[in-house]
Amino acid sequence: AKLSENGVAGFILANGALSGGGEEYKIRRKLIENDIVEAIVILPRSMFYTTDISVTLWILNKNKKARIVQLPDATRNYRNRENEILFLDLREKGIPFEKKFTQFSPDNILEITQTYHNWQTSPPLEGCPEDGVVYQNVPEFCHSATLEEVKAKDFSLVPSKYITFVNRDENIDFDDKMTALQSEFSELLKAEAQSKNDLLTVFKELGYEL
């Protein structure tokens, strides 16, 4: 209600608001049905001095229609994003800051902002040209969901319900893995036996044979 016709707002909430029930569910569903939610961005842990938990950045936009906007340094040709929500999972992004905190590097910021702006200005595609201008869904990073997808998830905004995650176990050849482990353990046992022999030799030379 406080936003103008073209107003955009961003605010931080605990992750529980993404799928909470009761009044939270009613508010979240109303925001989605009114097509105000533009992006849900889950942040890494330890980004704030007051808490180490992961939190979520909500971006609300009252005008997701196609339009041209003149910015101070660029002209942005927004596409129609009605009935779409962009999900970004940034929990694996970031670099250490003051030893126990996390911050985004310049490269992180560039990747995140370009992904968001590309989504705003180009339709989601399965493939992406070499120049990377057109938005694409990226496993473990981003996904553009339709309103129907969100309804099918009972209006949950948990990014992991939409972003594809890679099951790396499926790509493991267990015979090869076990052979490699067998070789590693064999070398470790040989090294352990050699260390034991060296220790016994030292004590023997000192006249204290074990």
Side-chain angles (χ1 to χ4, degrees), residues 55-194:
V55 295
T56 305
L57 169 63
W58 294 53
I59 299 177
L60 306 185
N61 191 341
K62 289 195 72 175
N63 185 0
K64 295 162 69 175
K65 293 182 172 65
R67 61 194 180 103
I68 298 175
V69 175
Q70 182 63 53
L71 302 175
D73 57 349
T75 299
R76 193 155 292 153
N77 189 358
Y78 291 108
R79 68 182 181 86
N80 184 7
R81 294 148 355 258
E82 292 178 305
N83 297 322
E84 291 181 32
I85 299 175
L86 176 65
F87 290 91
L88 287 165
D89 189 332
L90 309 182
R91 288 176 295 177
E92 298 302 317
K93 304 293 182 180
I95 58 176
F97 172 68
E98 293 184 357
K99 294 184 178 179
K100 62 179 181 178
F101 298 106
T102 302
Q103 68 177 3
F104 291 132
S105 68
D107 286 342
N108 291 150
I109 294 172
L110 182 63
E111 179 187 21
I112 295 163
T113 55
Q114 282 187 339
T115 298
Y116 180 45
H117 293 150
N118 288 345
W119 175 79
Q120 288 181 312
T121 57
S122 64
L125 298 176
E126 291 301 323
C128 186
E130 292 183 0
D131 59 13
V133 172
V134 177
Y135 170 84
Q136 66 170 342
N137 294 328
V138 178
E140 301 183 346
F141 177 50
C142 62
H143 181 83
S144 179
T146 64
L147 178 59
E148 294 307 313
E149 287 181 80
V150 177
K151 285 181 177 179
K153 303 290 186 183
D154 195 23
F155 297 94
S156 170
L157 292 178
V158 176
S160 60
K161 291 191 174 184
Y162 305 95
I163 297 173
T164 301
F165 283 83
V166 179
N167 184 353
R168 291 177 175 79
D169 289 342
E170 292 181 349
N171 299 322
I172 294 176
D173 187 314
F174 284 96
D175 286 338
D176 289 345
K177 188 66 176 177
M178 289 303 296
T179 299
L181 289 173
Q182 182 185 35
S183 176
E184 290 177 18
F185 278 114
S186 177
E187 293 300 321
L188 287 172
L189 290 173
K190 288 178 182 178
E192 181 184 16
Q194 184 61 49

Side-chain angles (χ1 to χ4, degrees), residues 18-87:
L18 298 170
S19 59
E23 291 301 314
E24 283 188 351
Y25 173 84
K26 294 178 183 178
I27 295 170
R28 185 175 65 253
R29 177 168 179 165
K30 196 68 174 177
L31 289 172
I32 295 170
E33 289 179 333
N34 288 342
D35 203 17
I36 295 174
V37 181
E38 171 152 274
I40 295 293
V41 184
I42 191 164
L43 301 174
R45 296 184 58 178
S46 303
M47 292 205 80
F48 302 94
Y49 288 116
T50 54
T51 181
D52 68 345
I53 64 172
S54 169
V55 295
T56 305
L57 169 63
W58 294 53
I59 299 177
L60 306 185
N61 191 341
K62 289 195 72 175
N63 185 0
K64 295 162 69 175
K65 293 182 172 65
R67 61 194 180 103
I68 298 175
V69 175
Q70 182 63 53
L71 302 175
D73 57 349
T75 299
R76 193 155 292 153
N77 189 358
Y78 291 108
R79 68 182 181 86
N80 184 7
R81 294 148 355 258
E82 292 178 305
N83 297 322
E84 291 181 32
I85 299 175
L86 176 65
F87 290 91

